[in-house]
PDB file of all heavy atoms in Angstrom:
ATOM      1  N   LEU B 233      88.748   7.739 -69.837  1.00 95.00           N
ATOM      2  CA  LEU B 233      88.429   8.806 -68.883  1.00 95.00           C
ATOM      3  C   LEU B 233      88.618   8.334 -67.452  1.00 95.00           C
ATOM      4  O   LEU B 233      89.184   9.037 -66.607  1.00 95.00           O
ATOM      5  CB  LEU B 233      86.981   9.265 -69.077  1.00 95.00           C
ATOM      6  CG  LEU B 233      86.717  10.136 -70.300  1.00 95.00           C
ATOM      7  CD1 LEU B 233      85.233  10.420 -70.433  1.00 95.00           C
ATOM      8  CD2 LEU B 233      87.470  11.435 -70.186  1.00 95.00           C
ATOM      9  N   MET B 234      88.137   7.127 -67.185  1.00 94.00           N
ATOM     10  CA  MET B 234      88.280   6.580 -65.844  1.00 94.00           C
ATOM     11  C   MET B 234      89.746   6.421 -65.477  1.00 94.00           C
ATOM     12  O   MET B 234      90.167   6.744 -64.363  1.00 94.00           O
ATOM     13  CB  MET B 234      87.581   5.225 -65.825  1.00 94.00           C
ATOM     14  CG  MET B 234      87.238   4.726 -64.477  1.00 94.00           C
ATOM     15  SD  MET B 234      86.003   5.748 -63.735  1.00 94.00           S
ATOM     16  CE  MET B 234      86.682   5.884 -62.133  1.00 94.00           C
ATOM     17  N   ALA B 235      90.534   5.917 -66.438  1.00 95.00           N
ATOM     18  CA  ALA B 235      91.964   5.722 -66.176  1.00 95.00           C
ATOM     19  C   ALA B 235      92.632   7.061 -65.887  1.00 95.00           C
ATOM     20  O   ALA B 235      93.483   7.166 -64.994  1.00 95.00           O
ATOM     21  CB  ALA B 235      92.625   5.044 -67.369  1.00 95.00           C
ATOM     22  N   LEU B 236      92.237   8.107 -66.628  1.00 95.00           N
ATOM     23  CA  LEU B 236      92.827   9.424 -66.398  1.00 95.00           C
ATOM     24  C   LEU B 236      92.502   9.933 -65.003  1.00 95.00           C
ATOM     25  O   LEU B 236      93.356  10.528 -64.337  1.00 95.00           O
ATOM     26  CB  LEU B 236      92.336  10.416 -67.455  1.00 95.00           C
ATOM     27  CG  LEU B 236      92.977  10.238 -68.815  1.00 95.00           C
ATOM     28  CD1 LEU B 236      92.246  11.048 -69.862  1.00 95.00           C
ATOM     29  CD2 LEU B 236      94.428  10.667 -68.768  1.00 95.00           C
ATOM     30  N   ILE B 237      91.286   9.692 -64.558  1.00 93.00           N
ATOM     31  CA  ILE B 237      90.920  10.112 -63.206  1.00 93.00           C
ATOM     32  C   ILE B 237      91.786   9.397 -62.181  1.00 93.00           C
ATOM     33  O   ILE B 237      92.293  10.007 -61.231  1.00 93.00           O
ATOM     34  CB  ILE B 237      89.433   9.823 -62.946  1.00 93.00           C
ATOM     35  CG1 ILE B 237      88.573  10.727 -63.800  1.00 93.00           C
ATOM     36  CG2 ILE B 237      89.094   9.999 -61.479  1.00 93.00           C
ATOM     37  CD1 ILE B 237      88.699  12.178 -63.449  1.00 93.00           C
ATOM     38  N   PHE B 238      91.985   8.112 -62.391  1.00 92.00           N
ATOM     39  CA  PHE B 238      92.840   7.381 -61.465  1.00 92.00           C
ATOM     40  C   PHE B 238      94.248   7.926 -61.479  1.00 92.00           C
ATOM     41  O   PHE B 238      94.879   8.086 -60.443  1.00 92.00           O
ATOM     42  CB  PHE B 238      92.887   5.908 -61.844  1.00 92.00           C
ATOM     43  CG  PHE B 238      91.816   5.108 -61.211  1.00 92.00           C
ATOM     44  CD1 PHE B 238      91.114   4.169 -61.937  1.00 92.00           C
ATOM     45  CD2 PHE B 238      91.494   5.283 -59.878  1.00 92.00           C
ATOM     46  CE1 PHE B 238      90.122   3.426 -61.346  1.00 92.00           C
ATOM     47  CE2 PHE B 238      90.512   4.549 -59.280  1.00 92.00           C
ATOM     48  CZ  PHE B 238      89.818   3.618 -60.020  1.00 92.00           C
ATOM     49  N   ILE B 239      94.749   8.187 -62.674  1.00 93.00           N
ATOM     50  CA  ILE B 239      96.130   8.651 -62.759  1.00 93.00           C
ATOM     51  C   ILE B 239      96.275   9.976 -62.034  1.00 93.00           C
ATOM     52  O   ILE B 239      97.280  10.237 -61.370  1.00 93.00           O
ATOM     53  CB  ILE B 239      96.552   8.787 -64.235  1.00 93.00           C
ATOM     54  CG1 ILE B 239      96.611   7.411 -64.874  1.00 93.00           C
ATOM     55  CG2 ILE B 239      97.891   9.473 -64.363  1.00 93.00           C
ATOM     56  CD1 ILE B 239      96.858   7.448 -66.349  1.00 93.00           C
ATOM     57  N   LYS B 240      95.234  10.817 -62.142  1.00 92.00           N
ATOM     58  CA  LYS B 240      95.358  12.112 -61.488  1.00 92.00           C
ATOM     59  C   LYS B 240      95.244  12.008 -59.982  1.00 92.00           C
ATOM     60  O   LYS B 240      95.998  12.640 -59.250  1.00 92.00           O
ATOM     61  CB  LYS B 240      94.298  13.077 -62.012  1.00 92.00           C
ATOM     62  CG  LYS B 240      94.430  14.423 -61.318  1.00 92.00           C
ATOM     63  CD  LYS B 240      93.702  15.506 -62.048  1.00 92.00           C
ATOM     64  CE  LYS B 240      93.755  16.804 -61.267  1.00 92.00           C
ATOM     65  NZ  LYS B 240      95.074  17.426 -61.246  1.00 92.00           N
ATOM     66  N   TYR B 241      94.276  11.230 -59.517  1.00 91.00           N
ATOM     67  CA  TYR B 241      93.965  11.312 -58.096  1.00 91.00           C
ATOM     68  C   TYR B 241      94.587  10.249 -57.211  1.00 91.00           C
ATOM     69  O   TYR B 241      94.518  10.349 -56.009  1.00 91.00           O
ATOM     70  CB  TYR B 241      92.452  11.355 -57.897  1.00 91.00           C
ATOM     71  CG  TYR B 241      91.880  12.671 -58.354  1.00 91.00           C
ATOM     72  CD1 TYR B 241      91.094  12.746 -59.490  1.00 91.00           C
ATOM     73  CD2 TYR B 241      92.164  13.824 -57.667  1.00 91.00           C
ATOM     74  CE1 TYR B 241      90.600  13.953 -59.922  1.00 91.00           C
ATOM     75  CE2 TYR B 241      91.674  15.039 -58.093  1.00 91.00           C
ATOM     76  CZ  TYR B 241      90.897  15.104 -59.219  1.00 91.00           C
ATOM     77  OH  TYR B 241      90.411  16.282 -59.651  1.00 91.00           O
ATOM     78  N   LEU B 242      95.195   9.241 -57.790  1.00 89.00           N
ATOM     79  CA  LEU B 242      95.854   8.275 -56.916  1.00 89.00           C
ATOM     80  C   LEU B 242      97.260   8.775 -56.612  1.00 89.00           C
ATOM     81  O   LEU B 242      97.979   9.153 -57.525  1.00 89.00           O
ATOM     82  CB  LEU B 242      95.949   6.913 -57.593  1.00 89.00           C
ATOM     83  CG  LEU B 242      94.695   6.073 -57.666  1.00 89.00           C
ATOM     84  CD1 LEU B 242      95.001   4.772 -58.379  1.00 89.00           C
ATOM     85  CD2 LEU B 242      94.153   5.783 -56.286  1.00 89.00           C
ATOM     86  N   PRO B 243      97.653   8.744 -55.347  1.00 87.00           N
ATOM     87  CA  PRO B 243      99.011   9.180 -55.017  1.00 87.00           C
ATOM     88  C   PRO B 243     100.035   8.252 -55.653  1.00 87.00           C
ATOM     89  O   PRO B 243      99.742   7.105 -55.954  1.00 87.00           O
ATOM     90  CB  PRO B 243      99.069   9.085 -53.488  1.00 87.00           C
ATOM     91  CG  PRO B 243      97.679   8.934 -53.035  1.00 87.00           C
ATOM     92  CD  PRO B 243      96.895   8.358 -54.157  1.00 87.00           C
ATOM     93  N   GLU B 244     101.253   8.748 -55.833  1.00 86.00           N
ATOM     94  CA  GLU B 244     102.287   8.042 -56.580  1.00 86.00           C
ATOM     95  C   GLU B 244     102.465   6.588 -56.195  1.00 86.00           C
ATOM     96  O   GLU B 244     102.213   5.686 -56.979  1.00 86.00           O
ATOM     97  CB  GLU B 244     103.639   8.734 -56.360  1.00 86.00           C
ATOM     98  CG  GLU B 244     103.804  10.035 -57.099  1.00 86.00           C
ATOM     99  CD  GLU B 244     104.005   9.794 -58.566  1.00 86.00           C
ATOM    100  OE1 GLU B 244     104.443   8.689 -58.934  1.00 86.00           O
ATOM    101  OE2 GLU B 244     103.706  10.694 -59.348  1.00 86.00           O
ATOM    102  N   TRP B 245     102.945   6.384 -54.975  1.00 88.00           N
ATOM    103  CA  TRP B 245     103.285   5.019 -54.605  1.00 88.00           C
ATOM    104  C   TRP B 245     102.043   4.164 -54.435  1.00 88.00           C
ATOM    105  O   TRP B 245     102.059   2.976 -54.722  1.00 88.00           O
ATOM    106  CB  TRP B 245     104.113   5.029 -53.321  1.00 88.00           C
ATOM    107  CG  TRP B 245     105.482   5.581 -53.498  1.00 88.00           C
ATOM    108  CD1 TRP B 245     105.923   6.385 -54.513  1.00 88.00           C
ATOM    109  CD2 TRP B 245     106.591   5.384 -52.637  1.00 88.00           C
ATOM    110  NE1 TRP B 245     107.229   6.700 -54.329  1.00 88.00           N
ATOM    111  CE2 TRP B 245     107.675   6.104 -53.180  1.00 88.00           C
ATOM    112  CE3 TRP B 245     106.782   4.674 -51.446  1.00 88.00           C
ATOM    113  CZ2 TRP B 245     108.925   6.128 -52.580  1.00 88.00           C
ATOM    114  CZ3 TRP B 245     108.034   4.709 -50.849  1.00 88.00           C
ATOM    115  CH2 TRP B 245     109.093   5.426 -51.423  1.00 88.00           C
ATOM    116  N   SER B 246     100.965   4.796 -53.965  1.00 91.00           N
ATOM    117  CA  SER B 246      99.736   4.027 -53.767  1.00 91.00           C
ATOM    118  C   SER B 246      99.278   3.424 -55.081  1.00 91.00           C
ATOM    119  O   SER B 246      98.785   2.302 -55.123  1.00 91.00           O
ATOM    120  CB  SER B 246      98.626   4.902 -53.217  1.00 91.00           C
ATOM    121  OG  SER B 246      99.032   5.553 -52.060  1.00 91.00           O
ATOM    122  N   ALA B 247      99.437   4.172 -56.155  1.00 92.00           N
ATOM    123  CA  ALA B 247      98.966   3.676 -57.445  1.00 92.00           C
ATOM    124  C   ALA B 247      99.661   2.375 -57.806  1.00 92.00           C
ATOM    125  O   ALA B 247      99.012   1.414 -58.239  1.00 92.00           O
ATOM    126  CB  ALA B 247      99.207   4.718 -58.530  1.00 92.00           C
ATOM    127  N   TRP B 248     100.977   2.325 -57.595  1.00 93.00           N
ATOM    128  CA  TRP B 248     101.693   1.112 -57.966  1.00 93.00           C
ATOM    129  C   TRP B 248     101.309  -0.056 -57.081  1.00 93.00           C
ATOM    130  O   TRP B 248     101.117  -1.183 -57.549  1.00 93.00           O
ATOM    131  CB  TRP B 248     103.203   1.345 -57.910  1.00 93.00           C
ATOM    132  CG  TRP B 248     103.654   2.354 -58.899  1.00 93.00           C
ATOM    133  CD1 TRP B 248     104.140   3.603 -58.667  1.00 93.00           C
ATOM    134  CD2 TRP B 248     103.619   2.219 -60.321  1.00 93.00           C
ATOM    135  NE1 TRP B 248     104.418   4.247 -59.833  1.00 93.00           N
ATOM    136  CE2 TRP B 248     104.112   3.418 -60.862  1.00 93.00           C
ATOM    137  CE3 TRP B 248     103.229   1.204 -61.187  1.00 93.00           C
ATOM    138  CZ2 TRP B 248     104.218   3.636 -62.222  1.00 93.00           C
ATOM    139  CZ3 TRP B 248     103.348   1.412 -62.547  1.00 93.00           C
ATOM    140  CH2 TRP B 248     103.834   2.619 -63.051  1.00 93.00           C
ATOM    141  N   VAL B 249     101.197   0.237 -55.779  1.00 94.00           N
ATOM    142  CA  VAL B 249     100.844  -0.859 -54.865  1.00 94.00           C
ATOM    143  C   VAL B 249      99.431  -1.348 -55.152  1.00 94.00           C
ATOM    144  O   VAL B 249      99.149  -2.548 -55.124  1.00 94.00           O
ATOM    145  CB  VAL B 249     100.977  -0.402 -53.396  1.00 94.00           C
ATOM    146  CG1 VAL B 249     100.698  -1.544 -52.457  1.00 94.00           C
ATOM    147  CG2 VAL B 249     102.359   0.139 -53.132  1.00 94.00           C
ATOM    148  N   ILE B 250      98.534  -0.386 -55.483  1.00 94.00           N
ATOM    149  CA  ILE B 250      97.160  -0.780 -55.795  1.00 94.00           C
ATOM    150  C   ILE B 250      97.123  -1.659 -57.034  1.00 94.00           C
ATOM    151  O   ILE B 250      96.403  -2.652 -57.092  1.00 94.00           O
ATOM    152  CB  ILE B 250      96.262   0.466 -55.986  1.00 94.00           C
ATOM    153  CG1 ILE B 250      95.959   1.084 -54.631  1.00 94.00           C
ATOM    154  CG2 ILE B 250      94.963   0.101 -56.680  1.00 94.00           C
ATOM    155  CD1 ILE B 250      95.180   2.358 -54.703  1.00 94.00           C
ATOM    156  N   LEU B 251      97.925  -1.307 -58.049  1.00 95.00           N
ATOM    157  CA  LEU B 251      97.950  -2.130 -59.257  1.00 95.00           C
ATOM    158  C   LEU B 251      98.347  -3.553 -58.917  1.00 95.00           C
ATOM    159  O   LEU B 251      97.731  -4.520 -59.386  1.00 95.00           O
ATOM    160  CB  LEU B 251      98.938  -1.546 -60.270  1.00 95.00           C
ATOM    161  CG  LEU B 251      98.407  -0.444 -61.170  1.00 95.00           C
ATOM    162  CD1 LEU B 251      99.530   0.143 -61.987  1.00 95.00           C
ATOM    163  CD2 LEU B 251      97.331  -0.972 -62.087  1.00 95.00           C
ATOM    164  N   GLY B 252      99.398  -3.679 -58.097  1.00 95.00           N
ATOM    165  CA  GLY B 252      99.835  -5.014 -57.728  1.00 95.00           C
ATOM    166  C   GLY B 252      98.772  -5.762 -56.944  1.00 95.00           C
ATOM    167  O   GLY B 252      98.456  -6.926 -57.224  1.00 95.00           O
ATOM    168  N   ALA B 253      98.166  -5.045 -55.974  1.00 95.00           N
ATOM    169  CA  ALA B 253      97.191  -5.709 -55.108  1.00 95.00           C
ATOM    170  C   ALA B 253      95.959  -6.127 -55.890  1.00 95.00           C
ATOM    171  O   ALA B 253      95.368  -7.177 -55.628  1.00 95.00           O
ATOM    172  CB  ALA B 253      96.806  -4.778 -53.962  1.00 95.00           C
ATOM    173  N   ILE B 254      95.571  -5.305 -56.839  1.00 94.00           N
ATOM    174  CA  ILE B 254      94.376  -5.617 -57.624  1.00 94.00           C
ATOM    175  C   ILE B 254      94.587  -6.866 -58.462  1.00 94.00           C
ATOM    176  O   ILE B 254      93.666  -7.662 -58.644  1.00 94.00           O
ATOM    177  CB  ILE B 254      94.054  -4.420 -58.529  1.00 94.00           C
ATOM    178  CG1 ILE B 254      93.008  -3.564 -57.902  1.00 94.00           C
ATOM    179  CG2 ILE B 254      93.677  -4.794 -59.881  1.00 94.00           C
ATOM    180  CD1 ILE B 254      91.668  -3.964 -57.938  1.00 94.00           C
ATOM    181  N   SER B 255      95.814  -7.063 -58.955  1.00 94.00           N
ATOM    182  CA  SER B 255      96.050  -8.281 -59.746  1.00 94.00           C
ATOM    183  C   SER B 255      95.926  -9.498 -58.860  1.00 94.00           C
ATOM    184  O   SER B 255      95.361 -10.515 -59.271  1.00 94.00           O
ATOM    185  CB  SER B 255      97.435  -8.280 -60.376  1.00 94.00           C
ATOM    186  OG  SER B 255      97.834  -7.012 -60.684  1.00 94.00           O
ATOM    187  N   ILE B 256      96.443  -9.368 -57.628  1.00 94.00           N
ATOM    188  CA  ILE B 256      96.351 -10.518 -56.718  1.00 94.00           C
ATOM    189  C   ILE B 256      94.896 -10.789 -56.374  1.00 94.00           C
ATOM    190  O   ILE B 256      94.434 -11.935 -56.365  1.00 94.00           O
ATOM    191  CB  ILE B 256      97.180 -10.256 -55.453  1.00 94.00           C
ATOM    192  CG1 ILE B 256      98.645 -10.059 -55.830  1.00 94.00           C
ATOM    193  CG2 ILE B 256      97.038 -11.391 -54.480  1.00 94.00           C
ATOM    194  CD1 ILE B 256      99.510  -9.698 -54.668  1.00 94.00           C
ATOM    195  N   TYR B 257      94.146  -9.696 -56.137  1.00 93.00           N
ATOM    196  CA  TYR B 257      92.737  -9.874 -55.812  1.00 93.00           C
ATOM    197  C   TYR B 257      92.004 -10.527 -56.978  1.00 93.00           C
ATOM    198  O   TYR B 257      91.148 -11.388 -56.800  1.00 93.00           O
ATOM    199  CB  TYR B 257      92.110  -8.525 -55.468  1.00 93.00           C
ATOM    200  CG  TYR B 257      90.612  -8.590 -55.361  1.00 93.00           C
ATOM    201  CD1 TYR B 257      90.002  -9.351 -54.374  1.00 93.00           C
ATOM    202  CD2 TYR B 257      89.798  -7.930 -56.266  1.00 93.00           C
ATOM    203  CE1 TYR B 257      88.636  -9.445 -54.286  1.00 93.00           C
ATOM    204  CE2 TYR B 257      88.429  -8.008 -56.179  1.00 93.00           C
ATOM    205  CZ  TYR B 257      87.853  -8.766 -55.188  1.00 93.00           C
ATOM    206  OH  TYR B 257      86.498  -8.853 -55.117  1.00 93.00           O
ATOM    207  N   ASP B 258      92.338 -10.089 -58.172  1.00 91.00           N
ATOM    208  CA  ASP B 258      91.730 -10.655 -59.363  1.00 91.00           C
ATOM    209  C   ASP B 258      91.959 -12.160 -59.421  1.00 91.00           C
ATOM    210  O   ASP B 258      91.031 -12.942 -59.640  1.00 91.00           O
ATOM    211  CB  ASP B 258      92.366  -9.990 -60.596  1.00 91.00           C
ATOM    212  CG  ASP B 258      91.582 -10.255 -61.836  1.00 91.00           C
ATOM    213  OD1 ASP B 258      90.443 -10.729 -61.734  1.00 91.00           O
ATOM    214  OD2 ASP B 258      92.114  -9.988 -62.935  1.00 91.00           O
TER     215      ASP B 258
END
Side-chain angles (χ1 to χ4, degrees):
Chain B
L233 285 175
M234 199 67 224
L236 285 168
I237 292 295
F238 271 136
I239 293 173
K240 180 164 175 71
Y241 289 110
L242 284 180
E244 285 287 337
W245 290 20
S246 306
W248 296 111
V249 183
I250 285 176
L251 275 173
I254 263 283
S255 328
I256 299 176
Y257 170 64
D258 194 13

